[in-house]
Amino acid sequence: DQQVKQNSPSLSVQEGRISILNCDYTNSMFDYFLWYKKYPAEGPTFLISISSIKDKNEDGRFTVFLNKSAKHLSLHIVPSQPGDSAVYFCAASHTGNQFYFGTGTSLTVIP
Amino acid sequence: NAGVTQTPKFQVLKTGQSMTLQCAQDMNHEYMSWYRQDPGMGLRLIHYSVGAGITDQGEVPNGYNVSRSTTEDFPLRLLSAAPSQTSVYFCASSSNDSGNTIYFGEGSWLTVV
């Protein structure tokens, strides 16, 4: 059973606009969340993280929001750039080392 | 900066053959893990290790063996390859000191025919 879900397989956004990628989880014990970005033929690379003691974490154009009551997190990219086009995975953990990943959302930023 | 190194990058196996995917990290991370990525399935954890001499099963461990004799190395063994093991495999490492951020290798593309 998938404990971390990304229900949108793909998303297209115009350059300069906001991209919002969503992630839902079922395990209330999860207390640490990560977002990864993956280009074709490469390994995933770390983007941003958030622990359950926070509801928001920001790093440049990237902001992650956590809603614990809804078991939902989202990644906002603003402004979106063509180089952001990639597959984005969210991941969750409650032990700090065993992470469960979502199925990914393919983002296309249209110039 | 080597980070996490996986070999081979590409491999074709016949059903029933065995092989080992190698993984090494030079960051002195205590945690290492193997994931497989399949279309529509995301990244699924196969096996992981919290330190040398300690391994445990992840979500999809069947058909795979691992060992962790040193901190640096975490090989993944397929004893008798099956077509269902055709996938992209990623090795990863992390550490409490790195804020539990997972660092991935570049992937190994395995096809079993």
Side-chain angles (χ1 to χ4, degrees):
Chain A
D1 189 27
Q2 197 83 16
Q3 297 193 52
V4 178
K5 300 178 183 179
Q6 293 175 258
N7 293 320
S8 298
S10 62
L11 175 68
S12 290
V13 171
Q14 287 290 134
E15 180 178 4
R17 307 293 288 266
I18 185 172
S19 295
I20 301 176
L21 296 96
N22 294 303
C23 180
D24 297 293
Y25 60 96
T26 58
N27 190 337
S28 58
M29 296 294 290
F30 287 149
D31 59 5
Y32 191 66
F33 305 89
L34 305 169
W35 281 95
Y36 277 79
K37 177 179 178 179
K38 185 182 179 306
Y39 293 117
E42 294 184 9
T45 54
F46 171 74
L47 200 53
I48 194 168
S49 65
I50 190 167
S51 75
S52 59
I53 62 173
K54 293 185 174 182
D55 54 20
K56 176 183 174 182
N57 190 27
E58 197 170 350
D59 184 1
R61 296 185 297 113
F62 302 92
T63 303
V64 57
F65 295 92
L66 176 62
N67 183 333
K68 289 185 289 294
S69 61
K71 297 192 184 68
H72 176 84
L73 65 156
S74 61
L75 175 68
H76 293 210
I77 307 172
V78 57
S80 300
Q81 299 173 354
D84 296 329
S85 297
V87 177
Y88 289 79
F89 291 98
C90 65
S93 168
H94 66 91
T95 63
N97 51 68
Q98 187 174 355
F99 282 88
Y100 295 87
F101 281 80
T103 51
T105 296
S106 178
L107 173 66
T108 301
V109 179
I110 304 164
Chain B
N1 293 334
V4 180
T5 304
Q6 292 180 232
T7 57
K9 189 145 178 101
F10 300 99
Q11 183 72 49
V12 178
L13 284 179
K14 292 183 179 178
T15 297
Q17 283 186 315
S18 62
M19 79 155 298
T20 299
L21 297 175
Q22 301 291 343
C23 176
Q25 53 95 6
D26 62 359
M27 297 173 282
N28 202 32
H29 286 171
E30 59 266 34
Y31 307 126
M32 295 188 74
S33 49
W34 277 101
Y35 292 84
R36 59 178 287 174
Q37 183 191 8
D38 302 292
M41 302 295 289
L43 291 159
R44 292 183 293 169
L45 181 65
I46 304 171
H47 284 284
Y48 66 100
S49 168
V50 300
I54 306 169
T55 63
D56 207 345
Q57 296 181 350
E59 301 171 80
V60 287
N62 292 339
Y64 307 95
N65 281 346
V66 291
S67 60
R68 184 93 181 271
S69 55
T70 67
T71 300
E72 294 77 21
D73 300 300
F74 191 45
L76 178 71
R77 297 185 187 85
L78 286 73
L79 297 179
S80 179
S84 60
Q85 293 178 304
T86 294
S87 187
V88 184
Y89 292 84
F90 290 98
C91 180
S93 73
S94 62
S95 166
N96 288 333
D97 292 340
S98 70
N100 292 320
T101 299
I102 310 170
Y103 295 85
F104 284 90
E106 294 191 342
S108 296
W109 275 253
L110 176 66
T111 301
V112 183
V113 298

